[in-house]
Structures are given as structure tokens and as C-alpha cells.
Amino acid sequence: MPKSLYLVLFFFVTSITFAQSTISLKGKVVDETTQLPIESATVYLTSVKDSSVVDYTITNKTGNFNFKIKKSDKPVLLKISYVSYQDFKDDKVDLNTDKDFGTITLKEAVNALNEVVIKSEIPPIRIKKDTLEFNAASFKVGADANVEALLKQLPGVEITPEGKITVNGQEVNNILVNGKPFFGKDGKIATQNLPAEIIDKVQVVDTKTKSEEISGEASGTQEKTINLTIQEDKNKGLFGKIVAGHGSDKRYESSLLLNYFKGEQKVSVLASSNNINSIGFSMDEVFDNMGGGRNSSIYYNDDGSFGINNMSFGGNRGITRSNMVGINYQDKWLKKIDQSGSYYFSNTETENANRTNRINLLPEGRTFTNSNAITKSGSNGHNLDLDFEIKIDSLSTIYINPSFQRNKSYSKSSRNQITTNETFDELNSSTNEDYSDNEFTNFGTDASFSKRFLKKNRGLSINLESEFQRRNDFVNTNSATLFADTTPDDIRNQNRFEKDNNDFVKLEVRFGEPLTDSLRLSLTSEVTYRKVKNDLNTFDFDGANYDDFNDLQSNATSSNATTFFPSTGLIISKAKTNGRINFGPEFITFDARSNYLGLTTDRNKNYVFPRIKGYISHRMGKSKSIYSFYDYGVQLPQANQVLPVENLSNPLSTFVGNEDLRPTQRHNLYFSFNDYDYQSRSGYYIYSGFNLSRDAVVSSTIFDDNFKATTTYQNVDMVYNSYLGVNWNKSFKKEKRTLRFGAGINLNYDANKGLTNAVTFESRGLQVSPKVNLTWSIDELITVSQNYSYSLNSTDYKNYVIDKAQNFVHNARLEITSYVPKHFVIGSDFGYRYNSNIADGFKKDFYLWNVSLGYNFFKDQFLAKVKVYDLLDQNQNATRTISPTAIVDAENTVLKRYVMFSLTYKLEKFGGKKKEGGMIFMD
């Protein structure tokens, strides 16, 4: 989109929002007894007519507040609220002249409970000791909006186009409904599907492990949890949506979500089926389940695939047909057992055509590999997750979280490939016809026992983590690999059977003893055990059957690793500072064994390394905080990296282990600072990190004249990765108008090493990604959102034929949602992407424009829509990737233009009352 158009829109928006005459309302809030200022008290204006919130702010650290508000003849009341103090209410306020309220005193609420407030007087925001709480009714969203739309209205809350949620710069990794998971703790189904109108409060707290939560310890991470509480009168009822759609090019979509709430008992059922690359539950008010637009909040990977709760659903690599059904159940049994659980069944089928051009970097030249592949794949998956919290007594709690996953998949592929040198002479070529199927089973359990003693801050916790994985792979391959010189060609027609077992158990016992009121001694013992086993058996076709055992391409490897980490530590827990540090020796036993060509090899090693890990978190007032953690430990090499077994599965690439490999020593350091001022509704956060690996395990590859590779592994002195991010946002709200700005930049710098043809190479990569966004809205009328990001990827090379490689990407989007005229919902999502330096034959840029028109009828219970995906028929998937060893350009199949007609039915029945035409009637 032309820059001039952005500037015109910017000045138009700002002129409408701010070209208003305003007045100032200011004052100071203090404690009546001590006369000390009260920070973070909520000061808000409500309409005399209907008690609706007109505007609000938060007192700063000196207790001062200041409203800049448009003049109005509408009478309002000034109210002030702060936990443990009596609410303050002033007489009618004149919004035509400035006013200084002077010093306002709040009286302490003697014996008042924190949660006892008059319902009509609940302020928009409450800041408690460790909880940030938003009153959902104070933030207006569209009539049919979901929880995600509500979250976007909350100050300090940001949701990226990829669906990542942050609060005051800290990432949200856990979303609960009434304190319990809702179809998994990632919570995306809750934010995308629960209607905003049923939410009472949005509470933000530090994410804790179950042991920390039960024992009352401070959180050891800087991540946040959002808990959505349901309105009391909505916590008993039935609600949901049913969507069905049919489109051009045989496209279709359908989804169902039904929720039954009755106090502690909650049952939710979901189902979906579509062939438009959607998981089926991004029930956006504009585009429903249509992918490629604003519906990207489940999660997206770098390769374009997407999924939820460990289930992948394809994405921009091909066209996916998916079916899914799931159930979630929550309840409280015998007044002592909190229970929740969910089950999913998923079925997917994806078809894709891939074209790849690869530049292979060598010390004294380059080679070029071009390939084409057609793939069809599918899977059936089952996922069961249960959650039990058992309160034995007031001091002891048991938590058990068993999970089970089973997936069966298949893949058919046809591929051809050719590699040439710099003069375009052919070095090798290959064709493959492959079929594979896979069975994967995973059973895991997280369990803990926590006990608090009568002596304050004395506690014991026992934590058990286990995971048992089984994978069975079958591959039938029919391939021909041809070499340009006299090297014999490699022709294969064979079956491969591979079994992988991976078992892991971790037991941790922690005991805390108070030294002072704020300092505790921590004694911890941690034992881990991991057993990995791999068996590969290959059979060649003998003319009649696949009975000819191929011993060169068959092998068996196994490894056992045991670690014991006894540590002593300190825990600090003060009003504004929390931290923990543990240190001690880590004893490691590593046994690896292989059986190859009749030869058995054993590799047994014992190690002792120091281990240290810790964190510190400090709040500087209510608006600023810092967090830092450090972790030093070792990572063992894998069995196939240390055993003398040749892996010949790929005719063009042989792998063999190196028994002299040493463990990798890893340093991990992280720091963050965030500051969000609720009074000015602006904030910023900074984060940075540094990861250093000594004795890092890297690949050492030798290419012959045919560009056939033999790879082993080596230790190098060190590699590292560092990153830095800065983000800022600010919002302005005047009555129904809201303007939000955001800007940020992310930087990443890494140094990698390896060996190619016995020459050590180095690569140093720099990624710079600035971004800006702007959203302007008028409640229940229109929302306009714009965002732009630029990504630069630059890599410097040493001991390669090239010294530098660089590319950049422009990404711009404009989203418009309109709720006028009445009963209509109009949406337009326009995106532009430009990718520089991509190879000839790959398109550098494309537009993606999706439009939608919806109409509510029959008392808003039905919504009819027509949607057009990729209106300009421009969508594509072309990418450039720069790595330490290659530059890769690739293109995959994507969805192209189609039209979809859909109908949505909305069911709402709460507390024995049914919603009809905006009115509530008794059954």
C-alpha cells in the first residue's frame, strides 16, 4: 500500500480523535490516617443516567490523577476505589470546565474482605498484591464478539497477528476459565470461542508450577496466566454456535461448539470439518474459520503449519482437509477433588506440491540443487488429558496430570532432484517414489505432593515427571540415484522398519526451611533417567518379496543416561523482591551401545559437572519490574552421534558417529524490564538474552566429486546466540473512540561453526525486525487496524566461497471491521508481502485480500455471510531461508481464490432464561 495512503489515514484518524475541546480533572488520593499517597487506586467517571463507565485512570506513585476529557453536558460522578479502602464518590461533576479536586482521603475498610464490593460500583481495573483484575463490563466490544476481542480492549494487553498474547510486555502462556483449563492450558479455544458477554472479570497473575501454586511460593518465571471468570448468572446455562458453509471450488466449512455450565460442572463439546486450512475453531465474528486473514490465533509455526494441543493441521504447505471432535469436562467431586479433562479426535489430509532451489555453500565453490516433489499425507490422532487436584487436608495437596496421545499417519511422495556445479555440469540426480506410515504413542504423567507445616514457610514438595514414547515407522522406497562419473548408481527397492523407544523419568524432592521472615534455605535432590532405543531393519526386494535382509542399512543403538543433582539454595520472598538460586554438583552416567554388522560397541562415560540455576524478580512500584534468570548445565550427545554406526538410509548422505564427543556446556542468561503506566495508558518493555555453548556438537561433512556427503560430528570451542527486543504501546480513549499505537524492534545475532571438506567455517547472522501498528475504533461501529513489519536477515561467512548473504521482507496489513448499517457486519483484510533477493522464477511479492459481508436476522440468532478469500487471486507461498550452510528458496501449494456462503446459529440460554431479540424472557 502506498505510504501516502497510510499518512492520509493517520492524519484523518488523529484529527477526528483529538480535534476536540477538552477539560482537565485532577486531584490527589491519600490515606486518611497516614496522609501517604495511594498508588494504583482506580479513579473513574460514571454516567448519572445509567451508571456506565465514561472514563477511568489510575493514580501514580505520588497519588495524583489527571483526566483529559472532552467537554460534555452529560452529568457524571467521580468515584475512587482501592482494595481494603472504602469507596469514594463525589457529587455530580461538570464536564464543561477544568476542576482540581485537591486532596481526597480514603478511609480504611475495617475488617472488609478484599472481594466484598457493591456490584454496581466495581471499577474498571483493580491492582491487588499479585493480581491485575479487569472488570469486563467496563470495556465495550461488538455484540457478537469473542473473548479475544475483549482482551484487545484491555490496557497493556497486546495480541500479535500470530496470536501471541502479552500483558505489560510479559507473555501469557496459560489461559484458564474459572481457574481450570478449557480444552488445554494454551487457552486459544477459550479466547476464540467463548462470547465476551459472559465474562465477569479478566484476572492476570504470574504463572506458577503446581508445586509453587500449592505451596504459595512466588513464580519462578516472568510468564503470565489469564483467568477468565464467568458471570454468576451466566455460570448456569447452555450456549454455543453452529457454523456451516459451502463455497466455490468444492470448498466447505463447518463447526460446532456447545457449552453447558452449572456451577462447578462444565461440559463443552466441539466438532469441525473443513478443507480451507483451518483448525475450525477460530470463530471470528467476521471471517469464521477462514484461514489466511485475522484468524491466526491458534498458533502458527515458521513453516506455516498450525495446530493446537500437540495436533498439527498443515497450513501454508499444501491444502488441508481436517475433521475434529472433542469434549471438555470440569467438576468438583466430594468437595476435595478439583477435576478437569479433555479428549480430542482429529483427522487430516494434506496435498502439496513443492519446488525448491538450494545453493550449497562450500569453501571453494558452490553447487546448486533443484528439486520438485508432490506429497499427499494424512493422520488420525487421539489426545486425552486429565487433571486432578486432591485436597487431603488444609496443609497437604496431591496433584496428578496424566496424558495420553496416539497418532497414526501416512505419506505418499514423488520427488525428483538434480545437483550441478557452478558451470552447470550435472553431479548427481535422483528420483524417489516413497510410501510411509507411522504409529506414535505417548503416555506422560506430571504428579506432585506438597505439604506445608505449622511453622511458617516450612514446606516439602515431591514432584514426579514421566514420559514414555513409542514410535513405529514403515517406509517403502523405490529410488534411483545416478552419478555423473564412474561411481556405481544406487538403485533401491526396499522396505524399512524402524522402532524408537524414548522413556524419561524425573523425580525432584524439595524441602524449604525458614531462616528469616523473607529468607529460606532450600534443599533439593533431583534424579533423572532417560532410556532411548532405536532398531532399524531394511529388506531389499528379491524379485518376488521383500525378504533380502540388508545388513549395511540395518543397525541397533541404545543409550541410558542418569543424572543426580543434589543442591543447596536460597529462596528470597519479600514484598517486592522474589528469587531463588540452587547450586551443586551434577553426577552423570552415560552408557551407549550399538550393534552393526555383527559388531557390538559399548561406550560408557561418567561425568561430574557443576550446576547452577536461579532467578530474581523485583517490582519497582506498581508499574515497573525487572526479571532475570541464569542457568548453567550440560547436554549429552545422542547415541547415534557417539557410536560408529553408518546410517546409509539416504543415498546422497551418510552419517557416522564420533566416540570422542564431549558433553556440551551451556550458559543461558535472560533479562527483562517492563513499565506500564495505567494512568497514561502507555508502556514499554525490553528483553534480552544470551546463550553460549562450549564444546558445542556440530556437523563435519565431506563431499566427494559427485556431491555425495559423509557427515560425522565434532566439538567446537563455542557457538552463541543473543537477542534483544524493545516494544512500546500507547492508547487514547475518549468515550467511544479508542486509538492505540504500538512500535517495536527485535534483534538477533548468532555465531555458528562447522566443518565442510575438513575446513572450519564460521557464520555470523544478524536479524533485525522493526514493526509498527495502529488501531482506531468507535465502539460498536467500526474498527480499523494497520500493522507493518520489516525483517532483515544478513549473514557473514568465513572460509566460504561467499562472504555475505542478505535478504529482507516487507509485511503490511490493513483490517477493517464495520457494524453499520444495523444488523450488518462488514470485514476487509488486505495484506501485502515482499521478499527480496529470491531466486529467478519465484515471485517476490503478492497481495492477499479477504472480504466478508454478514447479516444478523431472526432476533440476531442467525448470521448469514458471504466471504471471498484471496479476492485478487494473488496468494502464494515463496520463501527464502539463509542458513550457515545453504541459501534455500522454496514454493508450496496454497489456497487460491474462492467464495464461501455460510450460516451461523447462536444459542444462548443462561440461568433458566433465554435470550430472544435482545430481551430476556423466562422459560
Side-chain angles (χ1 to χ4, degrees):
M1 180 172 289
K3 294 181 179 179
S4 58
L5 185 55
Y6 278 108
L7 290 174
V8 169
L9 182 58
F10 174 80
F11 287 117
F12 171 74
V13 171
T14 54
S15 64
I16 289 178
T17 308
F18 301 111
Q20 312 281 353
S21 57
T22 61
I23 61 167
S24 174
L25 305 176
K26 61 182 180 179
K28 183 175 183 177
V29 181
V30 301
D31 182 287
E32 181 185 55
T33 304
T34 65
Q35 293 298 303
L36 293 175
I38 298 177
E39 182 183 358
S40 297
T42 305
V43 186
Y44 56 111
L45 302 172
T46 63
S47 170
V48 172
K49 181 179 179 181
D50 57 11
S51 297
S52 61
V53 176
V54 175
D55 206 349
Y56 69 94
T57 188
I58 303 292
T59 57
N60 60 21
K61 62 183 179 181
T62 61
N64 289 295
F65 66 88
N66 192 344
F67 284 100
K68 296 291 185 180
I69 190 168
K70 190 181 74 169
K71 289 182 178 180
S72 173
D73 293 326
K74 180 170 63 174
V76 298
L77 299 176
L78 177 76
K79 301 175 183 178
I80 302 175
S81 178
Y82 189 67
V83 174
S84 78
Y85 284 84
Q86 297 180 25
D87 289 346
F88 171 87
K89 182 170 69 174
D90 196 17
D91 293 333
K92 295 180 182 179
V93 178
D94 182 6
L95 295 183
N96 284 299
T97 58
D98 295 340
K99 183 173 181 178
D100 186 347
F101 291 89
T103 300
I104 299 173
T105 60
L106 294 187
K107 296 180 181 181
E108 189 174 356
V110 181
N111 295 325
L113 297 175
N114 287 352
E115 296 298 330
V116 178
V117 290
I118 301 173
K119 188 173 182 180
S120 61
E121 298 293 322
I122 297 177
I125 297 177
R126 280 191 185 276
I127 299 179
K128 304 178 183 179
K129 179 181 177 181
D130 58 356
T131 303
L132 174 62
E133 184 176 275
F134 299 96
N135 177 32
S138 300
F139 302 90
K140 301 299 182 183
V141 292
D144 195 34
N146 57 20
V147 169
E148 185 175 280
L150 170 63
L151 295 179
K152 290 179 179 179
Q153 301 302 313
L154 306 182
V157 179
E158 297 293 328
I159 302 179
T160 69
E162 295 76 31
K164 185 176 75 172
I165 303 173
T166 60
V167 179
N168 304 337
Q170 296 175 315
E171 185 171 350
V172 174
N173 70 332
N174 195 6
I175 296 177
L176 307 175
V177 177
N178 282 353
K180 296 180 181 179
F182 186 81
F183 284 106
K185 291 184 179 180
D186 66 6
K188 296 302 188 295
I189 289 182
T191 59
Q192 284 286 319
N193 293 276
L194 291 182
E197 64 179 334
I198 74 168
I199 304 301
D200 182 25
K201 296 182 180 68
V202 179
Q203 299 169 330
V204 182
V205 298
D206 295 331
T207 297
K208 295 183 177 183
T209 65
K210 209 62 185 179
S211 178
E212 290 171 338
E213 180 183 321
I214 295 170
S215 65
E217 291 183 23
S219 170
T221 74
Q222 66 152 4
E223 295 173 317
K224 293 292 185 181
T225 290
I226 287 180
N227 180 42
L228 306 168
T229 67
I230 306 298
Q231 295 175 26
E232 186 176 349
D233 62 335
K234 302 291 178 66
N235 206 25
K236 182 180 180 182
L238 178 69
F239 66 93
K241 280 186 178 182
I242 302 174
V243 178
H246 187 270
S248 60
D249 297 324
K250 298 182 180 180
R251 301 294 167 213
Y252 65 90
E253 64 171 337
S254 61
S255 63
L256 173 148
L257 177 67
L258 293 177
N259 303 276
Y260 172 74
F261 287 3
K262 185 179 181 181
E264 295 285 352
Q265 187 181 83
K266 300 175 181 65
V267 182
S268 299
V269 178
L270 52 78
S272 77
S273 179
N274 69 80
N275 63 353
I276 54 174
N277 284 9
S278 171
I279 197 167
F281 302 105
S282 298
M283 297 179 70
D284 179 81
E285 59 187 324
V286 179
F287 288 105
D288 294 319
N289 305 311
M290 182 183 286
R294 64 189 71 179
N295 278 327
S296 57
S297 295
I298 299 300
Y299 72 67
Y300 275 72
N301 295 321
D302 293 336
D303 65 359
S305 64
F306 63 101
I308 191 168
N309 291 349
N310 299 318
M311 293 178 292
S312 180
F313 283 82
N316 272 341
R317 289 193 172 189
I319 297 176
T320 299
R321 176 189 60 79
S322 65
N323 303 291
M324 184 176 175
V325 62
I327 184 170
N328 180 265
Y329 176 77
Q330 302 176 13
D331 207 346
K332 189 163 189 172
W333 299 339
L334 305 175
K335 297 183 179 181
K336 286 188 175 183
I337 304 175
D338 281 321
Q339 183 276 329
S340 65
S342 61
Y343 165 77
Y344 297 90
F345 169 77
S346 64
N347 164 262
T348 66
E349 188 174 276
T350 301
E351 296 183 5
N352 184 43
N354 169 271
R355 178 168 65 100
T356 299
N357 289 2
R358 178 186 177 99
I359 302 174
N360 308 292
L361 304 177
L362 302 172
E364 298 180 352
R366 295 176 297 180
T367 64
F368 305 90
T369 300
N370 298 331
S371 64
N372 293 276
I374 297 176
T375 304
K376 182 177 181 179
S377 59
S379 68
N380 290 315
H382 302 267
N383 188 298
L384 176 66
D385 189 270
L386 301 175
D387 200 289
F388 301 93
E389 184 174 323
I390 307 168
K391 198 79 171 176
I392 300 175
D393 53 40
S394 61
L395 298 176
S396 304
T397 302
I398 294 176
Y399 172 74
I400 304 174
N401 173 216
S403 61
F404 176 79
Q405 181 183 356
R406 181 173 176 82
N407 186 276
K408 186 172 183 178
S409 61
Y410 76 92
S411 176
K412 298 178 182 178
S413 65
S414 176
R415 182 183 185 90
N416 62 79
Q417 177 178 294
I418 185 170
T419 299
T420 62
N421 59 20
E422 290 189 289
T423 59
F424 301 106
D425 297 322
E426 182 177 321
L427 301 177
N428 65 65
S429 64
S430 62
T431 58
N432 290 70
E433 296 286 340
D434 293 336
Y435 172 83
S436 66
D437 61 47
N438 164 276
E439 290 185 359
F440 173 77
T441 302
N442 180 75
F443 176 73
T445 301
D446 290 334
S448 67
F449 168 77
S450 297
K451 180 176 178 60
R452 293 181 290 115
F453 294 87
L454 294 177
K455 184 176 181 179
K456 183 180 178 182
N457 289 335
R458 176 183 290 174
L460 171 71
S461 67
I462 302 173
N463 305 300
L464 175 67
E465 177 184 346
S466 64
E467 188 172 41
F468 303 95
Q469 295 182 354
R470 300 291 182 267
R471 182 185 297 274
N472 294 322
D473 291 328
F474 165 76
V475 179
N476 173 262
T477 184
N478 198 329
S479 66
T481 304
L482 311 179
F483 300 102
D485 61 8
T486 57
T487 301
D489 296 333
D490 190 319
I491 310 299
R492 300 186 182 186
N493 184 1
Q494 59 189 204
N495 288 341
R496 291 201 303 267
F497 300 87
E498 186 170 8
K499 291 185 177 182
D500 283 294
N501 294 350
N502 192 333
D503 299 334
F504 174 77
V505 179
K506 175 182 176 181
L507 177 65
E508 180 190 57
V509 180
R510 291 166 48 182
F511 178 76
E513 177 68 19
L515 301 177
T516 67
D517 286 343
S518 59
L519 191 65
R520 282 195 292 166
L521 175 68
S522 174
L523 301 176
T524 303
S525 288
E526 179 185 298
V527 179
T528 67
Y529 174 76
R530 184 179 293 277
K531 181 178 181 180
V532 179
K533 185 178 181 181
N534 175 272
D535 289 315
L536 174 63
N537 293 292
T538 304
F539 297 87
D540 293 322
F541 187 66
D542 60 8
N545 299 292
Y546 291 93
D547 293 333
D548 189 4
F549 183 71
N550 188 323
D551 55 354
L552 283 173
Q553 297 179 33
S554 302
N555 60 72
T557 62
S558 64
S559 66
N560 297 282
T562 304
T563 69
F564 174 51
F565 175 39
S567 66
T568 302
L570 292 173
I571 301 173
I572 184 171
S573 180
K574 304 183 74 172
K576 293 187 177 182
T577 304
N578 295 290
R580 172 195 287 271
I581 185 170
N582 280 81
F583 52 88
E586 185 171 35
F587 302 92
I588 303 173
T589 300
F590 180 60
D591 300 326
R593 169 176 287 197
S594 66
N595 189 335
Y596 182 56
L597 297 177
L599 178 65
T600 299
T601 302
D602 287 295
R603 185 185 189 275
N604 304 313
K605 296 287 185 179
N606 295 307
Y607 305 98
V608 179
F609 285 96
R611 178 79 191 274
I612 183 171
K613 57 182 178 180
Y615 75 92
I616 187 74
S617 174
H618 178 67
R619 287 188 294 114
M620 298 172 287
K622 292 291 185 181
S623 62
K624 300 181 180 68
S625 67
I626 60 173
Y627 174 86
S628 182
F629 77 75
Y630 172 74
D631 186 10
Y632 169 77
V634 298
Q635 180 178 10
L636 296 173
Q638 299 176 15
N640 65 299
Q641 294 176 326
V642 298
L643 293 169
V645 174
E646 286 191 324
N647 186 329
L648 303 172
S649 299
N650 187 336
L652 290 172
S653 188
T654 299
F655 294 88
V656 60
N658 174 12
E659 62 179 348
D660 294 324
L661 283 183
R662 299 180 298 276
T664 300
Q665 304 173 54
R666 306 183 71 177
H667 300 263
N668 188 3
L669 177 65
Y670 178 86
F671 172 82
S672 70
F673 172 82
N674 72 80
D675 179 8
Y676 190 88
D677 183 3
Y678 287 95
Q679 186 179 42
S680 63
R681 295 176 193 158
S682 65
Y684 65 94
Y685 63 96
I686 303 170
Y687 64 92
S688 63
F690 184 76
N691 304 312
L692 173 68
S693 296
R694 303 189 68 93
D695 284 334
V697 176
V698 300
S699 297
S700 175
T701 303
I702 302 292
F703 293 96
D704 65 14
D705 293 338
N706 298 302
F707 201 67
K708 181 179 179 180
T710 300
T711 298
T712 187
Y713 305 94
Q714 298 279 355
N715 290 112
V716 296
D717 51 358
M718 69 173 63
V719 298
Y720 63 85
N721 167 258
S722 59
Y723 53 92
L724 171 69
V726 181
N727 288 273
W728 168 85
N729 62 79
K730 184 174 179 60
S731 64
F732 302 88
K733 184 172 179 63
K734 298 301 176 185
E735 294 183 341
K736 293 187 175 183
R737 291 182 173 85
T738 302
L739 179 65
R740 297 163 68 109
F741 297 96
I745 185 169
N746 299 314
L747 301 99
N748 188 292
Y749 185 76
D750 57 66
N752 290 288
K753 296 180 180 180
L755 292 94
T756 301
N757 290 344
V759 176
T760 301
F761 71 83
E762 295 183 12
S763 70
R764 298 180 182 270
L766 173 67
Q767 295 84 38
V768 182
S769 303
K771 58 185 178 181
V772 294
N773 61 78
L774 180 151
T775 300
W776 173 72
S777 64
I778 301 177
D779 292 350
E780 302 180 10
L781 289 179
I782 190 171
T783 299
V784 180
S785 298
Q786 306 168 69
N787 63 72
Y788 167 77
S789 64
Y790 172 85
S791 181
L792 171 68
N793 187 346
S794 180
T795 304
D796 295 321
Y797 296 98
K798 183 178 179 180
N799 291 338
Y800 264 158
V801 67
I802 65 171
D803 297 323
K804 192 180 191 70
Q806 188 176 95
N807 80 306
F808 59 85
V809 176
H810 294 284
N811 239 323
R813 289 181 62 181
L814 173 64
E815 299 176 359
I816 301 174
T817 306
S818 172
Y819 301 96
V820 291
K822 189 177 181 180
H823 299 300
F824 282 88
V825 181
I826 303 171
S828 172
D829 287 7
F830 181 83
Y832 173 72
R833 182 182 178 91
Y834 176 86
N835 192 342
S836 74
N837 290 343
I838 204 163
D840 292 339
F842 293 86
K843 199 169 185 294
K844 293 180 181 291
D845 64 347
F846 73 97
Y847 302 91
L848 180 62
W849 189 9
N850 302 329
V851 294
S852 169
L853 173 63
Y855 177 71
N856 290 281
F857 63 99
F858 199 71
K859 300 176 182 179
D860 289 342
Q861 285 185 290
F862 287 89
L863 174 62
K865 289 183 188 174
V866 56
K867 300 163 289 187
V868 182
Y869 178 83
D870 188 19
L871 180 65
L872 303 179
D873 201 24
Q874 289 278 310
N875 192 26
Q876 66 171 23
N877 173 252
T879 60
R880 164 160 284 208
T881 303
I882 299 175
S883 75
T885 58
I887 302 171
V888 182
D889 298 310
E891 184 176 63
N892 293 280
T893 300
V894 295
L895 275 174
K896 304 294 283 185
R897 180 170 57 196
Y898 67 86
V899 180
M900 179 76 70
F901 298 90
S902 69
L903 182 66
T904 301
Y905 171 69
K906 291 164 281 186
L907 171 66
E908 294 183 10
K909 184 179 180 182
F910 297 109
K913 302 177 182 180
K914 187 186 300 181
K915 180 178 177 182
E916 295 187 11
M919 301 292 290
I920 301 293
F921 294 92
M922 294 297 296
D923 278 347

